[in-house]
Amino acid sequence: MDAKDLPDEVQESRGFAQVTNDDLNRHEPIVTDLARTRPRLAIVVPCFNEELVIRETVRRLVGILRDLREKGQIASESFLYFVDDGSLDGTWSILRELNKSEREVKALKLSRNFGHQNAVLAGLLAVRHRADCAISLDADLQHDEQAIYSFLDKYRQGADIVYGVRRNAGNVPISKRLFSSVFYWLMSSLGAKVIKDHPDYRLISAKVLDTLADYKEVNVFLRGIFANMGFKSEVVHFDVHERLAGTTHYSWTKMIGLALDGVTSFTVAPLRMIAMGGVLITLGALAISVFIIVSALRGDVVPGWASTVLPIYVLGGLQIMIIGLVAEYIGKIYSEVKQRPRFISEQELS
C-alpha cells in the first residue's frame, strides 16, 4: 500500500505530509521529520526534599507544556518526569497527588538518595524510549523555565545538545562563585572539555539519549560526558532566579565531590603532574646534595636545624598530598570494578 492510500491521520502519525501540485512544483520533500518539528518532549526534574516548591514547579512547567502543545511545537504525548532522589519530606506524596490530577506529571522514586547526577541520569534513561528529546532542569525554579522555548528553537534547527549557560550567578555566595570559576579554569587547564557556567540545564535529542545509555561508568559527571560526545551543540543563555522557598541542598561537600568526579573522570593530567613534580623534586634534591658535598669539602658546613627540618616537612606534605590524589583515582577504579547500580528504582508513576 502506498502512503497516499493511508488515512490522513495515519499519514500524519507516520511523518507523511499531504502532497499537492504546488508542493511538487516547489520540489519540497514530501516527508516531514515530526521528531524535529513537533517532538515528544520529556522534561526531567530531579528533586530532593522540595515539598515547599514542587507544586509551583509543576504549575509552571505544565503551563509551558500546554502552551507549546497549543502552538503545535510539541507532540500531545509530551510530559514531565520527576525523579524523587530519596526525599525525606512530603515530596513523593505531593507527586502522587499531582500525578492523579495532572496528566502530564509522571514520576520515579529512587530507593534512597543517590545524588543529583545519578538522579538526572535515572530520569534521562527512563524517558529514553518515550521521547524525541529531553530537557533536564532543577526543581527549585532557579533555572529560568522560559528558556525552554529557546532550547526547542535550537533543536528544530538541528542541534542535538543545547546547553543552558548562566547569564548571571543570581544570589550565589561569592565563595561558591569563586570555587566554580576555579573549577572551570582547572578543568580547561587540564584538557577536559566542559562548558563554562553550564549547570545541568540542557536539551538532548533521542540520538544523544541512546549514546548516553552506552556509558556504563559508576562515577557520573554528566557535564563532561555530554561535552565529550561531539554531537552538534548550541548554547542558550538564561538568568538565574532566586529560590521561591527552602534552602539549597548543594552543600560544599557535594560541590567538592562533584569537582573531584569531574577532574578524575575526564583527565589523568594530575597524575602526570605528579610524575613531573617527582622528577623536579629529585633534580632539586640532587642539586642540594651536590651543594652539601661541595660545602663539606670546603669546610663551610651551614650549622642549624632549619636547613634540615624544613625540607623534611615540605617533602612530607607533598608526599601526603600526592598519596591522597593517587588514592582518589584508585578509589574511582574500585567503584568502577564493583559495578554496583548507579541508582535503584523503587516506584514509578506513569
Side-chain angles (χ1 to χ4, degrees):
M1 180 183 293
D2 294 335
K4 64 183 180 179
D5 297 326
L6 296 171
D8 292 347
E9 60 273 14
V10 175
Q11 293 185 39
E12 182 178 0
S13 67
R14 295 187 181 180
F16 293 99
Q18 294 297 310
V19 184
T20 65
N21 290 332
D22 291 337
D23 294 328
L24 295 175
N25 292 334
R26 288 197 300 267
H27 303 288
E28 292 181 351
I30 64 173
V31 177
T32 301
D33 187 1
L34 291 180
R36 284 284 175 181
T37 59
R38 198 172 65 192
R40 295 173 299 164
L41 172 65
I43 300 181
V44 176
V45 187
C47 44
F48 176 68
N49 293 344
E50 299 289 359
E51 65 177 0
L52 297 179
V53 298
I54 199 70
R55 292 183 187 276
E56 179 63 15
T57 301
V58 169
R59 187 188 70 81
R60 293 190 187 185
L61 294 180
V62 165
I64 286 179
L65 280 184
R66 292 175 180 175
D67 182 53
L68 288 168
R69 190 182 297 123
E70 290 175 2
K71 293 178 179 178
Q73 296 183 4
I74 61 173
S76 59
E77 310 97 297
S78 300
F79 59 95
L80 305 177
Y81 199 82
F82 289 86
V83 180
D84 183 357
D85 188 23
S87 295
L88 302 176
D89 61 2
T91 299
W92 183 248
S93 298
I94 296 173
L95 287 174
R96 283 191 300 184
E97 174 189 332
L98 293 171
N99 171 255
K100 296 177 182 178
S101 60
E102 305 288 350
R103 71 182 183 88
E104 293 91 350
V105 176
K106 306 179 188 305
L108 174 69
K109 178 177 174 54
L110 303 185
S111 61
R112 64 170 176 83
N113 180 251
F114 285 89
H116 180 267
Q117 295 291 284
N118 286 320
V120 175
L121 179 65
L124 293 176
L125 295 181
V127 305
R128 175 184 169 198
H129 297 299
R130 313 183 213 178
D132 299 312
C133 62
I135 294 176
S136 62
L137 77 163
D138 291 345
D140 56 15
L141 295 175
Q142 288 188 289
H143 296 164
D144 182 10
E145 69 278 2
Q146 295 299 318
I148 291 174
Y149 293 92
S150 300
F151 280 19
L152 288 170
D153 288 340
K154 298 291 186 182
Y155 172 74
R156 280 190 287 270
Q157 294 168 14
D160 285 305
I161 305 177
V162 183
Y163 299 103
V165 175
R166 290 187 292 259
R167 187 180 287 115
N168 64 302
N171 62 345
V172 176
I174 295 179
S175 57
K176 287 191 175 182
R177 295 185 200 179
L178 180 60
F179 179 86
S180 178
S181 298
V182 171
F183 167 71
Y184 285 113
W185 170 82
L186 181 62
M187 290 289 287
S188 299
S189 301
L190 295 177
K193 291 183 179 180
V194 288
I195 307 298
K196 190 176 185 298
D197 294 329
H198 163 60
D200 288 293
Y201 188 18
R202 68 181 72 85
L203 177 148
I204 57 176
S205 67
K207 183 193 305 183
V208 178
L209 280 171
D210 289 338
T211 304
L212 178 63
D214 293 331
Y215 283 75
K216 306 300 183 181
E217 55 205 68
V218 175
N219 302 287
V220 181
F221 183 64
L222 293 174
R223 301 177 197 184
I225 289 175
F226 290 119
N228 280 271
M229 282 186 178
F231 290 110
K232 182 178 179 182
S233 61
E234 295 287 347
V235 168
V236 168
H237 292 88
F238 70 94
D239 293 319
V240 178
H241 298 161
E242 294 186 11
R243 287 181 62 96
L244 290 184
T247 58
T248 179
H249 305 299
Y250 224 67
S251 63
W252 274 102
T253 302
K254 292 182 179 180
M255 284 185 62
I256 294 173
L258 180 64
L260 284 174
D261 282 341
V263 172
T264 55
S265 296
F266 286 92
T267 178
V268 295
L271 296 178
R272 293 173 181 168
M273 291 170 62
I274 288 174
M276 292 300 299
V279 171
L280 293 176
I281 290 174
T282 301
L283 292 176
L286 289 174
I288 293 174
S289 299
V290 171
F291 172 76
I292 292 173
I293 292 172
V294 172
S295 298
L297 292 175
R298 290 179 177 178
D300 186 20
V301 179
V302 178
W305 61 272
S307 58
T308 301
V309 174
L310 188 60
I312 291 176
Y313 277 110
V314 171
L315 291 176
L318 284 173
Q319 287 174 340
I320 293 173
M321 181 184 69
I322 290 169
I323 291 172
L325 182 57
V326 174
E328 185 68 29
Y329 275 93
I330 293 174
K332 292 291 186 289
I333 296 171
Y334 178 63
S335 299
E336 296 293 339
V337 169
K338 287 188 296 184
Q339 286 292 301
R340 288 179 178 173
R342 294 171 291 185
F343 54 85
I344 300 174
S345 302
E346 179 178 329
Q347 185 179 357
E348 184 176 17
L349 304 175
S350 58

